[in-house]
């Protein structure tokens, strides 16, 4: 049994994944209870390789002690959230929201105004909570994917612009 991660662990950081993280990200996917039962074939044998990490924008959330709490992969042409997983022990602690907010910033910085998400069906509610809108359904594609999946989009608001400040010079003395 994996020990539950407590709230202070969410105070970790989001950083760019490196090729050295590939095995840890693969283990996180393989251990995901979200892909048990009928969803298990989707990740059977799936791995995140060093080449994938070096080719795409892959970021991970790490606890202060170095444990991987979750990760995402963002494709830019066209903008799409390709992968996103949160460790079972970190579910409900805000890690997913942290990763989505980071992903939005990365996409916005790259010039995107929206990001497509083809959701794992049980994760649709989470994506709606972080602002995604359902725009359609991606039909099953046997044998790789045996079920229809929600097609969603996260629209990106423009980055906030800093409020200009007016500095008023004051004269002292006479």
């Amino acid at each position: 049994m994996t020990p539950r991660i407590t709230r202070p662990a969410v105070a970790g950081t989001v950083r760019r994944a490196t090729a050295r993280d590939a095995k840890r990200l693969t283990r996180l996917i393989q251990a995901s209870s979200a892909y048990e039962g009928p969803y298990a074939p989707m990740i059977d044998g799936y791995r995140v390789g060093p080449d994938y990490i070096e080719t795409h924008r892959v970021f991970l959330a790490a606890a202060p002690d170095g444990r991987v709490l979750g990760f995402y992969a963002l494709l830019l042409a066209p903008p799409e959230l390709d992968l996103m997983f949160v460790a079972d022990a970190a579910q409900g602690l805000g890690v997913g929201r942290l990763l989505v907010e980071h992903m939005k910033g990365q996409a916005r910085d790259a010039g995107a105004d929206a990001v497509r998400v083809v959701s794992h069906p049980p994760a649709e509610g989470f994506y709606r909570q972080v602002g995604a809108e359902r725009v359609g359904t991606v039909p099953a594609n046997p044998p790789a994917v045996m079920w229809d999946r929600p097609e969603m989009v996260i629209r990106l608001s423009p980055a906030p612009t800093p409020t200009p400040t007016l500095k008023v010079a004051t004269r002292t003395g006479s």
Side-chain angles (χ1 to χ4, degrees), residues 22-36 40-48 71 85 88:
K23 287 182 181 176
R24 294 193 312 163
L25 301 185
T26 296
R27 280 194 301 270
L28 192 150
I29 290 173
Q30 295 299 323
S32 176
S33 64
Y35 283 88
E36 292 178 339
M42 177 80 179
I43 62 167
D44 188 36
Y46 193 91
R47 75 177 194 86
V48 177
F71 78 97
F85 283 84
D88 287 351

Side-chain angles (χ1 to χ4, degrees), residues 7-166:
R7 281 256 177 234
V10 179
T13 59
V14 176
R15 67 166 174 83
R16 186 88 186 235
T18 67
R20 297 181 74 182
D21 295 312
K23 287 182 181 176
R24 294 193 312 163
L25 301 185
T26 296
R27 280 194 301 270
L28 192 150
I29 290 173
Q30 295 299 323
S32 176
S33 64
Y35 283 88
E36 292 178 339
Y39 299 114
M42 177 80 179
I43 62 167
D44 188 36
Y46 193 91
R47 75 177 194 86
V48 177
D51 53 335
Y52 182 87
I53 291 172
E54 291 172 357
T55 305
H56 302 294
R57 292 182 184 221
V58 181
F59 290 85
L60 63 82
D65 65 4
R67 287 178 292 167
V68 175
L69 303 174
F71 78 97
Y72 74 88
L74 175 65
L75 309 180
L76 291 175
E80 181 171 352
L81 180 61
D82 190 41
L83 296 170
M84 185 164 140
F85 283 84
V86 173
D88 287 351
Q91 295 282 326
L93 299 177
V95 175
R97 288 179 183 277
L98 174 70
L99 290 169
V100 168
E101 287 305 312
H102 189 272
M103 180 273 303
K104 287 178 180 179
Q106 288 292 310
R108 191 180 300 112
D109 289 350
D113 59 0
V115 176
R116 178 180 188 237
V117 177
V118 178
S119 177
H120 179 48
E124 181 178 2
F126 165 76
Y127 286 113
R128 286 181 184 271
Q129 289 176 0
V130 296
E133 305 166 35
R134 186 163 183 166
V135 294
T137 300
V138 176
N141 183 20
V145 181
M146 302 297 290
W147 56 90
D148 294 345
R149 294 171 292 157
E151 180 177 14
M152 308 181 86
V153 67
I154 297 174
R155 300 192 197 288
L156 305 173
S157 56
T161 54
T163 305
T165 56
L166 180 61

